[in-house]
Amino acid sequence: GAVVSQHPSWVICKSGTSVKIECRSLDFQATTMFWYRQFPKQSLMLMATSNEGSKATYEQGVEKDKFLINHASLTLSTLTVTSAHPEDSSFYICSADRGQGDVDGYTFGSGTRLTVV
Amino acid sequence: GDSVTQMEGPVTLSEEAFLTINCTYTATGYPSLFWYVQYPGEGLQLLLKATKADDKGSNKGFEATYRKETTSFHLEKGSVQVSDSAVYFCALLRAAGTALIFGKGTTLSVSS
């Protein structure tokens, strides 16, 4: 089945540094990937939609310059949290669409727990 | 816009009890509907899905029926186990290539 690998699973960084999170589709090509943020005991908030080879589409209220998304290939999308601050601490999850007109749902990565100290 | 509303939790049950988690949706057209499950510290796993009205999705003893007339997709299980303790998310997909829209999630806690 479709597998999405997300790394790292957890990361602790100092305030002001940048952190890169990778999301890879292992056995399929993902034309579209979605990045979500989940606050404790809350739902998933869509941050952005990324399509291979083009700029990501960000949801309203998400800072493009803070959350850099790159989808350079059909199997890899990255989310870089730049100049991280404690309020960026959260659980980040990616999901991937195989782009075959699939309405059967998407595959999710296992998530990344980011803690900024 | 499209949205999903699911019952507030937490839901606390004893082992072998019957489970219902309500989910209703608002959407234009005919979305696909899903239930995802999230275990502590993990990502989301697809539990079951239904892509058209009157379809019943089922998996691991869980069931949900796509009811267009009531715009609902309630999750049920006849006999829960401790291992079912997790957060359950109802979601809709308006069209291929668009993002899943999630409800707020319902925490289920099952005790032995």
Side-chain angles (χ1 to χ4, degrees):
Chain A
V3 177
V4 172
S5 175
Q6 185 173 342
H7 290 283
S9 55
W10 60 271
V11 57
I12 301 173
C13 71
K14 291 184 177 180
S15 187
T17 61
S18 296
V19 173
K20 179 183 285 188
I21 301 169
E22 292 189 349
C23 182
R24 292 181 184 272
S25 55
L26 297 185
D27 50 2
F28 66 100
Q29 293 184 330
T31 56
T32 304
M33 287 191 177
F34 305 94
W35 287 95
Y36 293 85
R37 180 175 180 177
Q38 186 179 29
F39 295 96
K41 299 185 179 181
Q42 293 190 28
S43 188
L44 286 81
M45 180 191 78
L46 179 67
M47 299 176 66
T49 301
S50 73
N51 293 291
E52 185 267 337
S54 61
K55 290 184 177 181
T57 301
Y58 290 81
E59 295 299 300
Q60 190 173 6
V62 177
E63 298 178 59
K64 302 178 183 181
D65 295 332
K66 166 167 278 295
F67 300 101
L68 300 179
I69 292 172
N70 183 282
H71 194 161
S73 77
L74 286 172
T75 59
L76 174 65
S77 177
T78 60
L79 166 66
T80 301
V81 183
T82 63
S83 186
H85 287 91
E87 58 265 30
D88 299 325
S89 298
S90 194
F91 193 60
Y92 295 88
I93 307 176
C94 67
S95 70
D97 172 21
R98 286 172 287 185
Q100 299 174 354
D102 193 352
V103 293
D104 286 344
Y106 304 144
T107 302
F108 283 78
S110 56
T112 297
R113 171 74 60 194
L114 170 63
T115 301
V116 185
V117 297
Chain B
D2 298 346
S3 65
V4 175
T5 302
Q6 62 182 103
M7 63 186 288
E8 295 281 336
V11 174
T12 304
L13 296 173
S14 297
E15 206 165 24
E16 300 183 2
F18 184 84
L19 168 71
T20 299
I21 301 178
N22 290 335
C23 171
T24 57
Y25 68 91
T26 301
T28 54
Y30 303 95
S32 295
L33 301 175
F34 307 86
W35 279 99
Y36 281 85
V37 59
Q38 184 180 35
Y39 297 100
E42 299 184 9
L44 273 70
Q45 301 174 25
L46 178 64
L47 180 60
L48 53 84
K49 64 180 185 284
T51 57
K52 61 183 186 296
D54 299 326
D55 269 2
K56 176 186 282 188
S58 62
N59 185 26
K60 299 180 181 179
F62 291 90
E63 293 183 340
T65 301
Y66 189 143
R67 301 288 188 198
K68 185 174 181 298
E69 63 276 13
T70 54
T71 62
S72 65
F73 193 55
H74 305 321
L75 181 69
E76 296 181 337
K77 186 174 185 181
S79 176
V80 294
Q81 304 300 312
V82 172
S83 58
D84 293 328
S85 299
V87 181
Y88 292 82
F89 291 94
C90 185
L92 72 82
L93 183 66
R94 182 165 40 84
T98 63
L100 281 161
I101 297 172
F102 288 92
K104 291 188 175 181
T106 301
T107 299
L108 170 65
S109 178
V110 181
S111 59
S112 59

